[in-house]
Amino acid sequence: MAHALSLAQNEIADDDALARDVLGQVAGRWSLGVLCVLAEAKGPIRFSRVLDGVDGITAKVLTQALRQLERDGFATRTIYAQVPPRVEYALTELGLELIEHVDPLTRWATRRAKDFRAARARFVR
Amino acid sequence: MAHALSLAQNEIADDDALARDVLGQVAGRWSLGVLCVLAEAKGPIRFSRVLDGVDGITAKVLTQALRQLERDGFATRTIYAQVPPRVEYALTELGLELIEHVDPLTRWATRRAKDFRAARARFVR
DNA sequence: CGGTATCCCACAAGATACTG
DNA sequence: CAGTATCTTGTGGGATACCG
């Protein structure tokens, strides 16, 4: 259910809600993987290279993920008017910050993997 | 699509994959909210109280969220054999650690909310 | 009280084909 | 090359009703 019926389209007034929304997007299946490929590139990188770098993603889904990263300010999109077309994506400062803040969490989760495995084994019932 | 056809049910062999899977679950719409209510309780808390504490959640979805938190070792479930039934949930050490590691990320995102808003306003095209 | 059982829908994501 | 268009499907989540 939408919370703010009075707001046009997708505007989110509350900062907390906006932050949750953005993190929710980032938590999606592909965003972080794409972001990491952009980070590893250490500079502008073409659509096809990103496509190669993210295992299992399709062009359609990659396009959507990149658009959303661009929308939230985590990546830039630069189109070069040439044939064949060239489009390059790059991580922004904000995107780098995001990665830096997500990293400790994923590291912790990886360290704790054994505990997760044990908990899941204990469960089942 | 399942990635590991050779594995029974839902087993995940790789630690990194398991960590991603767990974080993926946590990133779901309700898990963090539920976790926070358990944390605020500072002790065992009944199903109904959790239901009250998480705004907008339904009993079915809360049950699913709690089961998953229990499965991954973030919460415990204790049933008291009495009428009417009483079931209490509590945060585990692992659950507390999770919250402590997620918190910096959400704080950062809230601090950066203005940037997200600006980026989204800039976008649209 | 603390759930299940059903039914339903929205939406993310996949497959495939096509285009500027 | 870097996308769109279209169709399909899986799954999270919602509404409601019922049960031990």
Side-chain angles (χ1 to χ4, degrees):
Chain A
M1 187 210 314
H3 312 86
L5 297 168
S6 60
L7 291 174
Q9 298 283 56
N10 258 331
E11 288 179 42
I12 298 177
D14 177 34
D15 276 8
D16 280 27
L18 178 60
R20 274 197 301 278
D21 188 67
V22 169
L23 287 183
Q25 304 294 326
V26 169
R29 184 166 178 184
W30 298 108
S31 297
L32 276 181
V34 173
L35 227 32
C36 287
V37 170
L38 295 187
E40 285 162 16
K42 295 178 187 302
I45 176 176
R46 297 185 70 155
F47 182 85
S48 318
R49 298 307 107 227
V50 183
L51 195 59
D52 294 342
V54 183
D55 199 65
I57 201 171
T58 63
K60 184 189 107 179
V61 175
L62 176 58
T63 300
Q64 292 170 348
L66 285 168
R67 287 289 188 285
Q68 172 215 288
L69 291 176
E70 189 195 359
R71 183 193 59 157
D72 290 339
F74 297 131
T76 58
R77 179 168 179 259
T78 310
I79 306 162
Y80 295 89
Q82 56 188 50
V83 178
R86 186 170 116 231
V87 179
E88 289 187 340
Y89 295 87
L91 202 63
T92 62
E93 262 303 314
L94 196 63
L96 184 60
E97 265 191 57
L98 172 62
I99 288 185
E100 286 170 351
H101 281 79
V102 168
D103 194 52
L105 182 60
T106 60
R107 284 176 184 278
W108 170 79
T110 304
R111 279 203 310 276
R112 289 301 214 165
K114 297 278 180 279
D115 298 285
F116 301 148
R117 200 182 305 284
R120 289 194 176 188
R122 227 176 298 123
F123 195 64
V124 184
R125 53 195 130 151
Chain B
M1 188 207 317
H3 314 85
L5 297 168
S6 60
L7 292 174
Q9 299 282 54
N10 257 331
E11 287 179 44
I12 298 177
D14 177 34
D15 276 7
D16 280 26
L18 179 59
R20 274 195 302 277
D21 188 67
V22 170
L23 287 183
Q25 303 296 326
V26 169
R29 184 165 176 186
W30 299 107
S31 297
L32 276 182
V34 173
L35 226 33
C36 287
V37 170
L38 295 186
E40 286 163 15
K42 296 179 187 300
I45 175 175
R46 298 184 70 155
F47 183 86
S48 317
R49 297 308 106 225
V50 185
L51 196 59
D52 295 341
V54 184
D55 199 65
I57 200 171
T58 64
K60 183 189 112 179
V61 174
L62 176 58
T63 299
Q64 291 170 349
L66 285 168
R67 286 288 186 287
Q68 172 212 287
L69 291 176
E70 188 194 0
R71 183 193 60 157
D72 291 339
F74 297 131
T76 58
R77 177 167 181 260
T78 310
I79 305 163
Y80 295 90
Q82 56 187 50
V83 178
R86 186 169 117 230
V87 180
E88 290 187 340
Y89 295 88
L91 203 65
T92 62
E93 261 303 313
L94 197 63
L96 184 61
E97 266 192 55
L98 173 62
I99 288 185
E100 287 170 351
H101 281 80
V102 167
D103 194 52
L105 182 59
T106 59
R107 283 175 185 278
W108 171 79
T110 304
R111 279 202 311 275
R112 288 303 212 166
K114 296 278 179 282
D115 298 284
F116 301 148
R117 199 182 305 284
R120 289 194 176 187
R122 225 177 298 123
F123 194 63
V124 184
R125 54 197 130 156

